[in-house]
């Protein structure tokens, strides 16, 4: 019913994906870097938004709001947004929360930056699991709090939590905040109830605050089930949940995220210090998404599942020594290319120059991520096919070069 194969030109819309990659990936803020590809020739598999059209029901919701003609200061004051979102959570996750616990933010990242300041004293530390979405670390860095990493263990492509390591680090009395990515970016893990319970028990025992960043929770493979951490620990008030329509419905630019703060004191700090206004178009779009976006989402998930299968098959045939398991959640593929590329290789640079593909990888994910590339699969299949072909061709060409030069050296000897 929905056309996920449609190619939509995003240039001239100020899209990060098409026009912002130089600064974000390569730190090239004045556009002086040159590549063997024109900007429009790149296959873009980097920033975590989608190349699919936002569902029409959202666009219609925004249009309807446009018709009311005035866009003055706005804050979610009526019950209707809460109802739309809480019913979404009840339907999909069997979980609900009180209306007064819900506050809004112009994004989860700005909320993380604020929470680290509100929660941690200057000498206190923030812990998270690595590899990690780098902004977890930036939230600590920005506030001059120490970041503590607990490396996940990779068991043949499936990531597991090193509970002994996590427990030891959580027991440090200066560690006061755990930021959990549930489900996990970049590995794509959907944490099981048992894993969540073990993690949560360690936090409760050590009296840690927890932020459960659940921004990817709607984007699961179809055989998976998301469990909000707050559903497992309904009585633990030091647990903040973040969710958003932005990843789910491709509306990151509308900048509206849900933050659920059960603790009254922290909520009061938030309400007194946060800039508590919302964009009226974003509110209209988000409400329409939660009320009417589900059929679109279910079709999207089928398309994404197929993109993952396509990727798995393509890599098995063309890059057999890459280690890759289909992500349980997100539209992001996390691939180990250590059989082909050296740990000192700058991966985004290699693939931009040699393949004309924009991707993220290596130390962009804090640590425990050497030789990994992350591919955004939320694109039409024809684009995905071209991106994978270019990636595999670039690696295989490098392999041939290396073996040729090895043969030459042997012959010279
Ligand atoms: N939290 C996680 C775990 C994310 O992956 C992202 C976006 C955000 C928060 C951003 O939330 P916002 O402030 O937009 O509400 N992830 C991105 C990524 O991996 N690449 O580009 C964006």
């Amino acid at each position: 019913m929905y056309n996920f194969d449609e190619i939509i030109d995003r240039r001239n819309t100020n899209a990060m994906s098409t026009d912002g990659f130089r600064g974000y990936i390569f730190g090239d803020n004045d556009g002086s870097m040159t590549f063997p590809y024109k900007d429009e020739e790149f296959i873009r598999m980097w920033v975590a938004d989608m190349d699919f059209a936002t569902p029409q029901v959202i666009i219609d919701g925004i249009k309807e709001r446009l018709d009311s003609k005035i866009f003055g200061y706005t804050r979610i004051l009526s019950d209707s947004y809460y109802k739309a979102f809480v019913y979404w959570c009840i339907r999909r996750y069997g979980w609900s929360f009180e209306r007064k616990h819900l506050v809004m933010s112009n994004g989860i990242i700005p909320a993380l930056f604020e929470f680290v300041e509100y929660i941690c004293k200057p000498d206190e530390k923030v812990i998270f699991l690595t590899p990690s979405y780098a902004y977890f670390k930036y939230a600590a860095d920005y506030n001059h709090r120490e970041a503590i990493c607990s490396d996940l263990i990779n068991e043949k492509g499936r990531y597991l939590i090193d509970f002994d390591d996590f427990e030891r680090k959580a027991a440090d009395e200066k560690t006061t905040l755990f930021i959990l990515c549930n489900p996990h970016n970049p590995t794509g893990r959907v944490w099981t109830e048992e894993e969540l319970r073990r993690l949560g028990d360690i936090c409760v025992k050590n009296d840690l605050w927890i932020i459960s960043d659940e921004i990817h929770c709607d984007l699961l493979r179809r055989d998976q089930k998301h469990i909000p951490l707050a559903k497992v620990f309904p009585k633990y008030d030091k647990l903040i949940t973040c969710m958003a329509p932005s990843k789910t419905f491709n509306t990151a630019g509308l900048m509206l995220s849900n933050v659920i703060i059960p603790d009254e004191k922290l909520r009061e700090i938030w309400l007194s210090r946060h800039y508590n206004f919302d964009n009226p178009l974003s509110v209209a779009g988000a409400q329409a998404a939660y009320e009417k976006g589900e059929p679109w989402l279910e079709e999207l998930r089928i398309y994404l599942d197929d993109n993952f299968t396509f990727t798995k098959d393509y890599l098995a045939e063309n890059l057999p020594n890459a280690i890759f398991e289909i992500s349980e959640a997100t539209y992001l593929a996390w691939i180990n290319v250590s059989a082909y590329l050296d740990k000192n290789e700058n991966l985004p640079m290699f693939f931009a120059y040699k393949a004309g593909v924009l991707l993220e990888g290596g130390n962009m994910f804090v640590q425990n991520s050497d030789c990994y590339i992350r591919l955004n699969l939320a694109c039409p299949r024809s684009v995905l096919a071209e991106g994978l072909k270019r990636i595999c061709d670039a690696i295989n060409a490098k392999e041939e070069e290396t073996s040729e030069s090895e043969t030459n050296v042997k012959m010279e000897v």
Side-chain angles (χ1 to χ4, degrees), residues 3 11 35 47 51 55 63 93 105 146 188 199 226 235 265 271-272 306 316 333 348-349 357 369 408 410:
N3 182 10
R11 281 174 307 151
F35 295 94
V47 68
D51 274 349
K63 278 188 183 155
Y93 310 121
S105 173
E146 194 178 333
L199 273 178
H226 172 68
K235 299 215 168 71
K265 262 203 198 134
L271 291 173
S272 61
D306 291 347
M349 202 77 96
V357 174
S369 50
N408 289 344
K410 273 187 202 141

Side-chain angles (χ1 to χ4, degrees), residues 129-310:
L129 307 173
T130 37
S132 172
Y133 178 50
Y135 278 83
F136 288 9
K137 179 170 186 304
Y138 299 158
D141 292 350
Y142 174 81
N143 288 291
H144 307 290
R145 268 51 167 195
E146 194 178 333
I148 304 293
C149 299
S150 181
D151 283 348
L152 295 167
I153 301 165
N154 187 342
E155 287 251 331
K156 296 190 190 118
R158 184 177 163 84
Y159 278 84
L160 302 174
I161 295 161
D162 183 344
F163 284 103
D164 291 339
D165 181 73
F166 181 76
E167 182 151 25
R168 200 167 36 77
K169 289 170 176 165
D172 177 344
E173 61 176 20
K174 291 293 179 194
T175 304
T176 50
L177 171 62
F178 171 40
I179 307 180
L180 172 67
C181 197
N182 173 36
H184 189 258
N185 174 12
T187 68
R189 269 304 314 276
V190 170
W191 307 116
T192 62
E193 183 169 350
E194 196 204 334
E195 286 171 316
L196 292 174
R197 200 171 288 286
R198 277 183 82 179
L199 273 178
D201 281 343
I202 293 169
C203 294
V204 173
K205 187 169 140 203
N206 291 285
D207 201 28
L208 259 59
W209 283 90
I210 310 170
I211 302 174
S212 188
D213 178 347
E214 307 193 359
I215 194 169
H216 294 277
C217 68
D218 299 318
L219 293 166
L220 269 55
R221 298 294 76 72
R222 283 190 305 146
D223 57 353
Q224 295 289 330
K225 196 171 163 319
H226 172 68
I227 307 172
L229 184 65
K231 187 178 174 184
V232 186
F233 291 89
K235 299 215 168 71
Y236 193 59
D237 272 4
K238 294 175 90 172
L239 166 52
I240 300 150
T241 304
C242 301
M243 289 182 176
S246 54
K247 288 272 172 283
T248 316
F249 295 104
N250 209 18
T251 57
L254 295 179
M255 300 176 69
L256 188 79
S257 308
N258 306 298
V259 180
I260 296 141
I261 314 177
D263 183 79
E264 200 175 325
K265 262 203 198 134
L266 183 67
R267 209 166 56 240
E268 272 168 18
I269 296 174
W270 175 278
L271 291 173
S272 61
R273 294 185 60 184
H274 182 78
Y275 184 71
N276 281 301
F277 295 107
D278 303 312
N279 179 325
L281 301 181
S282 308
V283 175
Q287 187 170 325
Y290 288 133
E291 284 172 352
K292 300 175 192 157
E294 220 154 3
W296 179 90
L297 174 61
E298 293 314 316
E299 281 200 29
L300 170 73
R301 290 175 63 198
I302 297 171
Y303 197 88
L304 289 177
D305 282 8
D306 291 347
N307 271 4
F308 271 96
T309 310
F310 182 90

Side-chain angles (χ1 to χ4, degrees), residues 330-397:
T330 77
Y331 43 68
L332 307 163
W334 185 242
I335 304 166
N336 182 330
V337 290
S338 61
Y340 303 100
L341 294 170
D342 188 78
K343 118 185 206 318
N344 297 317
E345 187 85 54
N346 180 327
L347 297 171
M349 202 77 96
F350 174 83
F351 287 101
Y353 274 85
K354 300 287 185 190
V357 174
L358 299 172
L359 53 73
E360 300 188 23
N363 64 8
M364 290 180 84
F365 296 91
V366 185
Q367 68 176 42
N368 197 20
S369 50
D370 284 349
C371 294
Y372 280 83
I373 53 173
R374 192 192 74 173
L375 303 185
N376 180 341
L377 306 192
C379 56
R381 192 131 329 123
S382 58
V383 177
L384 175 62
E386 175 65 18
L388 289 172
K389 179 177 183 312
R390 290 190 191 185
I391 287 168
C392 294
D393 287 354
I395 291 181
N396 289 324

